[in-house]
């Protein structure tokens, strides 16, 4: 390689706020150089930048859209492309004449020697093994979750798991705002129809704040986030996660226990911590309740409840909701919505159902709650703007007892015998405790209840936020109310609710935000 013979001279002084390129006259405005620092080093790049500017060349950041000639020293074309991807957006069709040229340092040497940009010859160009096309058009991402389709399986699970860990940690610390921010960032990544492999792809994607962006970038560059790993390994996070998995225990109580020095489930017994009946049941069946419920088990429980209800009130329907309705093969609990087309027929239904299930030996624990809704006209129902996830339906929160070996050869067949002694051996069949919520809803409110109980929680939260902010309506599991027109908007299906809101209908299996 030819040596550069440069007469040493003191570079002009650059005043504060003055552009480096403005110190020297620009003789070739149509040429903007970008020097790749990889293998060149900072000091050498600084010297070569000063040299080029003294020869009348304009020099800018190699990732700038203004750059027409990307110059590299000791790198292959593919290495330069990767470096550009990591440090900024890659040039469109670089090296093939439809974007900045990828050039070997020899072109720079010859141009400096001639004090002008020499003509680019094939020997000057860096070879790129894979032709570089224009940046993929990703399209606009809708700002609200309820405007996006979020499948069960997506392309960015490693990133979303990290952000969900941070959301959970923020919630454990009582920071609902931070928790929501991380959760929304995870939700938007789940909806992307492409895999994120560089941070620049998220430039126009909504709902990704600065903290989330830092974590994502760290994951993309290093494969893990030190901050996320520190959270996962922290004693407080692991203890809070352990305690909040107890049925009936929330963040407040779990945090109190941690402050008192409790760290394990055994500590609760050792320190004789006072628990109510719900929490006692949750602790007794802790292992089962934190074992995923399979779809066939949820359907078997649904069938048991359906058979009992059919005996009491023919024509009533039982609908499996929650994650199972969104297409999940397994979940944490079973949510069943019960209704009847004749208003008033369901009065007293749930206590009768509970009594029969209890007598048949299916209920390990249950808690009955009457409806707290006096009237849809109650202003308190709509004043929160639909932000509350809670509703006012009659319900039973229970722990259901299900035999692992069901009677008959088909898993959909289940009966009381499944949880009684097996055969003549006198030994009980293995049993499994499952969380089951039975919810009774008026027929006219059923579409709204179905939408609310299907989830996901993030989808429902944003759907209600959209209703209030964009449509001046309040949506909850009981109905849809127009705040300005002061009217209720009836709906016979979920599709009609979306229609009222001016939204495209999103199928249940596409609501996994």
């Amino acid at each position: 390689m030819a040596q550069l013979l440069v007469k040493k001279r003191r570079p002009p002084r650059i005043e504060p706020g003055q552009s480096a390129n403005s110190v020297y006259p620009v003789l070739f405005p149509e040429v903007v150089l970008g020097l790749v620092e990889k293998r060149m080093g900072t000091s050498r790049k600084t010297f070569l930048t000063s040299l080029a500017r003294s020869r009348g060349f304009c020099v800018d950041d190699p990732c700038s859209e203004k750059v027409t000639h990307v110059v590299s020293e000791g790198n292959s074309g593919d290495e330069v492309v990767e470096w550009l991807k990591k440090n900024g957006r890659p040039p469109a069709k670089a090296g093939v004449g439809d974007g900045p040229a990828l050039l070997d340092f020899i072109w720079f040497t010859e141009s400096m020697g001639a004090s002008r940009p020499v003509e680019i010859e094939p020997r000057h160009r860096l070879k790129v093994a894979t032709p570089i096309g224009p940046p993929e058009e990703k399209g606009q991402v809708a700002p609200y979750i309820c405007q996006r389709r979020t499948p069960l399986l997506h392309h960015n699970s490693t990133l979303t798991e990290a952000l969900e860990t941070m959301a959970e940690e923020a919630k454990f610390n009582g920071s609902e705002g931070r928790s929501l921010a991380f959760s929304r960032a995870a939700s938007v990544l789940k909806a992307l129809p492409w895999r994120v492999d560089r941070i620049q792809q998220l430039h126009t994607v909504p709902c990704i704040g600065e903290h989330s962006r830092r974590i994502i970038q760290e994951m993309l560059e290093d494969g893990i986030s030190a901050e996320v790993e520190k959270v996962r390994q922290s004693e407080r996070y692991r203890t809070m996660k352990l305690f909040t998995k107890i049925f009936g225990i929330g963040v407040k109580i779990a945090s109190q226990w941690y402050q008192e020095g409790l760290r394990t489930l055994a500590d609760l017994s050792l320190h004789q911590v006072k628990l109510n009946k719900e929490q006692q049941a949750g602790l007794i069946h802790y292992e089962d309740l934190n074992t995923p419920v399979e779809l066939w088990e949820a359907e078997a429980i649904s069938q048991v409840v359906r058979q009992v209800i059919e005996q009491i009130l023919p024509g009533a329907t039982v609908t499996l909701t929650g994650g199972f309705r969104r297409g999940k093969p397994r979940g944490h609990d079973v949510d069943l919505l019960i209704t009847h087309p004749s208003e008033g027929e369901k009065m007293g239904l749930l206590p009768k159902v509970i009594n029969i299930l209890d007598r048949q030996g299916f209920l390990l624990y249950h808690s009955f709650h009457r409806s707290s809704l006096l009237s849809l006209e109650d202003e308190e129902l709509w004043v929160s703007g639909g932000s509350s996830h809670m509703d006012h339906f009659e319900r039973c929160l229970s722990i259901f007892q299900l035999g692992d070996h069901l009677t008959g050869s088909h898993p959909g067949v289940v009966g009381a015998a499944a949880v009684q002694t097996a055969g003549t051996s006198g030994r009980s069949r293995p049993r499994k405790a499952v969380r089951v919520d039975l919810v009774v809803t008026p027929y006219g409110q059923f579409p709204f209840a179905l939408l609310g109980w299907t989830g996901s929680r993030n989808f429902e939260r944003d759907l209600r936020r959209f209703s209030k902010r964009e449509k001046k309506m309040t949506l909850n599991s009981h109905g849809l109310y127009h705040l300005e027109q002061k009217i209720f908007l009836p709906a016979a299906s979920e599709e009609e609710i979306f229609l009222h809101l001016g939204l495209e209908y999103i199928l249940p299996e596409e609501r996994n935000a």
Side-chain angles (χ1 to χ4, degrees), residues 156-311:
N156 299 293
S157 57
T158 302
L159 299 179
T160 58
E161 287 168 6
L163 293 175
E164 286 171 342
T165 295
M166 297 303 295
E168 192 172 37
E169 168 68 2
K171 184 179 179 181
F172 289 161
N173 284 319
S175 181
E176 290 294 335
R178 286 181 60 247
S179 178
L180 187 57
F182 283 122
S183 186
R184 282 181 175 154
S187 293
V188 75
L189 293 182
K190 291 178 183 179
L192 297 180
W194 36 273
R195 180 176 177 271
V196 176
D197 54 26
R198 62 184 188 279
I199 196 66
Q200 288 74 21
Q201 292 174 310
L202 302 177
H203 179 65
T204 60
V205 175
C207 306
I208 299 181
E210 187 60 36
H211 198 162
S212 295
R213 188 176 295 272
R214 289 202 308 270
I215 289 173
I216 293 170
Q217 183 166 7
E218 190 177 6
M219 296 283 293
L220 294 176
E221 292 179 352
D222 304 330
I224 63 170
S225 165
E227 183 179 5
V228 173
E229 291 307 309
K230 183 178 179 181
V231 166
R232 287 173 174 164
Q233 297 304 319
S234 71
E235 183 181 55
R236 188 178 191 282
Y237 174 80
R238 294 162 73 126
T239 303
M240 290 291 292
K241 199 169 180 67
L242 176 76
F243 288 159
T244 54
K245 284 184 177 180
I246 301 174
F247 176 45
I249 299 299
V251 171
K252 186 176 180 180
I253 294 178
S255 182
Q256 178 183 327
W257 288 349
Y258 182 82
Q259 295 297 326
E260 292 173 357
L262 307 182
R263 296 292 183 268
T264 67
L265 299 183
D267 286 345
L268 302 180
S269 299
L270 184 64
H271 291 78
Q272 298 182 335
V273 175
K274 291 185 178 180
L275 303 173
N276 61 31
K277 290 184 178 180
E278 180 183 53
Q279 295 161 354
Q280 289 173 14
L283 188 58
I284 291 170
H285 303 290
Y286 184 89
E287 184 176 349
D288 275 0
L289 298 185
N290 286 285
T291 300
V293 182
E294 300 296 329
L295 175 59
W296 70 264
E297 293 174 322
E299 291 176 337
I301 292 171
S302 301
Q303 184 62 19
V304 168
V305 175
R306 191 173 290 111
Q307 290 173 354
V308 170
I309 290 178
E310 185 65 25
Q311 299 173 22

Side-chain angles (χ1 to χ4, degrees), residues 65-117:
E65 293 182 358
K66 299 177 182 179
V67 169
T68 60
H69 296 60
V70 176
V71 177
S72 171
E73 184 175 27
N75 298 291
S76 68
D78 289 321
E79 287 176 321
V80 173
V81 169
E82 286 304 312
W83 187 90
L84 291 170
K85 283 183 178 180
K86 184 176 180 180
N87 291 275
R89 64 177 186 81
K93 297 185 180 178
V96 294
D98 194 26
L102 300 186
L103 302 173
D104 186 81
F105 189 69
I106 190 173
W107 177 88
F108 182 90
T109 301
E110 294 176 4
S111 295
M112 294 304 107
S115 293
R116 62 174 176 80

Side-chain angles (χ1 to χ4, degrees), residues 429-449:
R429 291 182 183 271
R431 302 174 179 184
K432 182 178 181 180
V434 178
R435 276 277 296 109
V436 178
D437 287 348
L438 306 177
V439 182
V440 177
T441 170
Y443 193 73
Q445 298 175 30
F446 179 76
F448 301 97

Side-chain angles (χ1 to χ4, degrees), residues 306-476:
R306 191 173 290 111
Q307 290 173 354
V308 170
I309 290 178
E310 185 65 25
Q311 299 173 22
I312 305 169
L313 183 61
T317 61
V318 178
T319 305
L320 179 62
T321 63
F324 292 112
R325 186 166 183 255
R326 302 197 309 273
K328 286 191 172 185
R330 57 189 60 85
H332 299 295
D333 57 10
V334 179
D335 297 324
L336 299 175
L337 279 188
I338 304 166
T339 193
H340 191 279
S342 298
E343 297 289 358
E345 289 292 324
K346 66 187 183 312
M347 292 294 295
L349 171 64
L350 193 52
K352 295 176 182 177
V353 172
I354 294 171
N355 185 46
I356 293 177
L357 290 174
D358 197 25
R359 282 193 287 107
Q360 290 182 341
F362 282 111
L363 299 184
L364 296 168
Y365 165 86
H366 70 273
S367 174
F368 174 69
H369 302 266
R370 297 186 182 278
S371 172
S372 58
L373 179 65
L374 300 177
S375 170
L376 282 178
E377 305 292 337
D378 185 358
E379 187 178 355
E380 283 298 316
L381 186 62
W382 312 103
V383 72
S384 66
S387 59
S388 174
H389 184 70
M390 298 302 296
D391 54 51
H392 303 268
F393 295 121
E394 182 177 75
R395 73 188 65 197
C396 173
L397 309 180
S398 74
I399 297 178
F400 200 97
Q401 180 173 239
L402 182 66
D404 285 345
H405 302 288
L406 304 179
T407 57
S409 59
H410 193 279
V413 181
V414 67
V419 291
Q420 302 300 326
T421 55
T424 58
S425 65
R427 292 182 301 171
S428 296
R429 291 182 183 271
R431 302 174 179 184
K432 182 178 181 180
V434 178
R435 276 277 296 109
V436 178
D437 287 348
L438 306 177
V439 182
V440 177
T441 170
Y443 193 73
Q445 298 175 30
F446 179 76
F448 301 97
L450 181 62
L451 178 59
W453 278 82
T454 295
S456 67
R457 183 181 290 267
N458 285 330
F459 184 92
E460 295 303 322
R461 182 190 288 114
D462 243 31
L463 183 60
R464 299 177 184 195
R465 190 166 68 103
F466 174 87
S467 302
K468 182 68 177 294
R469 290 188 177 184
E470 306 298 332
K471 298 297 179 179
K472 304 296 186 254
M473 300 178 188
T474 294
L475 172 70
N476 57 35

